Amino acid sequence: MLKGRSLIEPGNFTIEEMDALFSLAERIEEDPAYLRESCRGRLLATLFFEPSTRTRLSFEAAMQRLGGSCLGFADPGSSSASKGESLADTIRMAASYADAIVMRNPKEGAALLASRYSPVPVINAGDGGHHHPTQTLTDLLTIKRLRGKPGDKSLRDSVKGLTVGFCGDLKFGRTVHSLAKALARYEGVKLVFVSPPELRAPEYVTRLLQREKIEYLETTSLEDAMPGLDVLYMTRVQRERFFNEEDYIRLKDTYVLSLEKMETAKKELIVLHPLPRVNEIAIEVDADPRAAYFKQAKYGMYVRMALLASIMGVI
Ligand code: NCD
């Protein structure tokens, strides 16, 4: 179904295709040997023009766990981009060596452009402050696993009635844009955006929510939002996207999730974070059973295994 397809933003896959990926990821989690040799002889190119730990390592781990191999770079300084090669040429080359390409690039729209030049599937691992769809697959699988009910047939059932709060840098945080866009497809979800006025979610996100008739509210107060949330998605202030350092310094510690704030939250809350964390979640919160961000990182590998096996057409 997904064979040969690119993933540039969450809307590229239907709700049913996402559900199929989540089921496959759950099957892999239950039985890690399932699909073990399915990608033997296949190659995945990982082209990272921006820093990454989890995304790149989880893609490489996923590909190797499927029996395939990876090639690529984690530092654009070591690629021909530093000699002035165009993205189109780099992509054409990578596509002639590999069966699929995973790319992170600081420019918004770079992944879409790459997919136009690539004869093999392109997976967007982050394009500037725009989208990060495989983080969204990770986030949704985590919500399904931790907040879903055993009989849920679809993610639709698991997210119905949930209030999801996003806190921090909602302007530049690409994981926020992708997750909000994905959630906008599910009826009965409510979103709460907590940010300083300078870092509000972009209009293209809030306009989409209005169009889809998704209930949302914007606030500057995490304290006020906290008691009503079922999921809290904390984010880092994206230093690398600021035009000046003073603004970053002024805004970076606006929100710090502390044990004190956790006391006012629901018992079933789950706290997510795409990571890396800087200061926005106090270390003490890690021991709270509601802190789910390290589990979330693990689900990322399972869902990337499901994604790779599907686009390579081995399932
Ligand atoms: C995120 C990203 O790169 O957008 N990290 C990730 O992929 N897990 C979040 C961030 O860098 O703050």
Side-chain angles (χ1 to χ4, degrees):
M1 194 165 50
L2 293 178
K3 184 176 177 190
R5 299 259 296 274
S6 288
L7 176 59
I8 308 302
E9 53 105 343
N12 294 147
F13 292 174
T14 64
I15 287 180
E16 292 72 25
E17 287 167 341
M18 302 260 252
D19 279 331
L21 280 180
F22 300 138
S23 303
L24 184 54
E26 286 173 320
R27 169 102 198 252
I28 296 169
E29 184 193 356
E30 256 166 51
D31 173 14
Y34 179 62
L35 298 183
R36 187 162 53 194
E37 291 299 317
S38 62
C39 283
R40 168 92 30 230
R42 314 263 175 153
L43 277 173
L44 177 69
T46 56
L47 312 183
F48 279 74
F49 294 89
E50 265 195 346
S52 170
T53 304
R54 266 147 300 270
T55 306
R56 187 172 60 84
L57 294 189
S58 67
F59 265 114
E60 293 184 358
M63 190 59 183
Q64 289 177 33
R65 281 173 181 267
L66 295 170
S69 317
C70 302
L71 73 171
F73 54 84
D75 166 20
S78 67
S79 80
S80 282
S82 66
K83 299 181 189 168
E85 184 171 58
S86 71
L87 181 63
D89 286 1
T90 305
I91 291 296
R92 284 192 191 103
M93 289 311 306
S96 64
Y97 304 140
D99 300 294
I101 295 172
V102 175
M103 184 182 78
R104 171 170 289 183
N105 193 287
K107 292 208 176 94
E108 286 81 8
L112 180 63
L113 183 80
S115 70
R116 301 231 161 112
Y117 287 99
S118 176
V120 303
V122 173
I123 300 171
N124 182 11
D127 60 325
H130 192 212
H131 276 298
H132 190 349
T134 64
Q135 182 64 47
T136 298
L137 293 176
T138 303
D139 303 338
L140 293 175
L141 176 61
T142 310
I143 294 174
K144 179 168 192 281
R145 297 289 284 111
L146 302 182
R147 292 301 317 244
K149 298 159 287 304
D152 288 351
K153 287 202 179 56
S154 158
L155 183 72
R156 194 190 290 278
D157 303 324
S158 307
V159 297
K160 207 178 177 96
L162 291 186
T163 299
V164 180
F166 292 90
C167 177
D169 185 349
L170 312 188
K171 179 179 181 186
F172 296 118
R174 55 194 172 197
T175 61
V176 172
H177 309 155
S178 287
L179 182 56
K181 181 164 184 185
L183 287 172
R185 302 205 282 193
Y186 300 97
E187 220 181 289
V189 176
K190 192 175 154 195
L191 306 186
V192 179
F193 294 115
V194 184
S195 76
E198 295 92 330
L199 299 179
R200 282 173 62 186
E203 247 181 60
Y204 75 84
V205 172
T206 47
R207 255 193 268 123
L208 172 79
L209 298 173
Q210 289 159 18
R211 240 183 2 252
E212 299 298 324
K213 303 201 166 36
I214 296 290
E215 197 181 330
Y216 75 93
L217 72 88
E218 294 183 273
T219 172
T220 55
S221 169
L222 180 56
E223 284 81 357
D224 288 355
M226 208 63 197
L229 302 179
D230 299 301
V231 177
L232 170 60
Y233 197 88
M234 290 298 294
T235 63
R236 165 182 79 89
V237 176
Q238 307 277 300
R239 179 181 203 160
E240 64 276 32
R241 316 234 181 269
F242 276 69
F243 291 110
N244 72 67
E245 185 75 2
E246 282 143 51
D247 286 346
Y248 169 71
I249 289 169
R250 182 167 56 80
L251 294 167
K252 71 185 173 72
D253 295 323
T254 314
Y255 303 103
V256 179
L257 182 64
S258 59
L259 283 179
E260 219 174 29
K261 289 195 187 90
M262 290 293 284
E263 270 170 29
T264 67
K266 292 186 185 174
K267 275 207 302 292
E268 323 73 52
L269 170 81
I270 55 168
V271 180
L272 304 184
H273 191 308
L275 302 177
R277 151 183 54 190
V278 185
N279 263 337
E280 57 282 350
I281 303 180
I283 305 289
E284 299 79 65
V285 175
D286 296 359
D288 189 303
R290 294 169 291 182
Y293 26 93
F294 294 116
K295 272 191 203 147
Q296 183 186 357
K298 187 147 190 201
Y299 287 129
M301 182 182 72
Y302 296 130
V303 83
R304 288 180 174 109
M305 287 173 77
L307 175 67
L308 290 172
S310 303
I311 66 160
M312 298 269 182
V314 298
I315 179 89

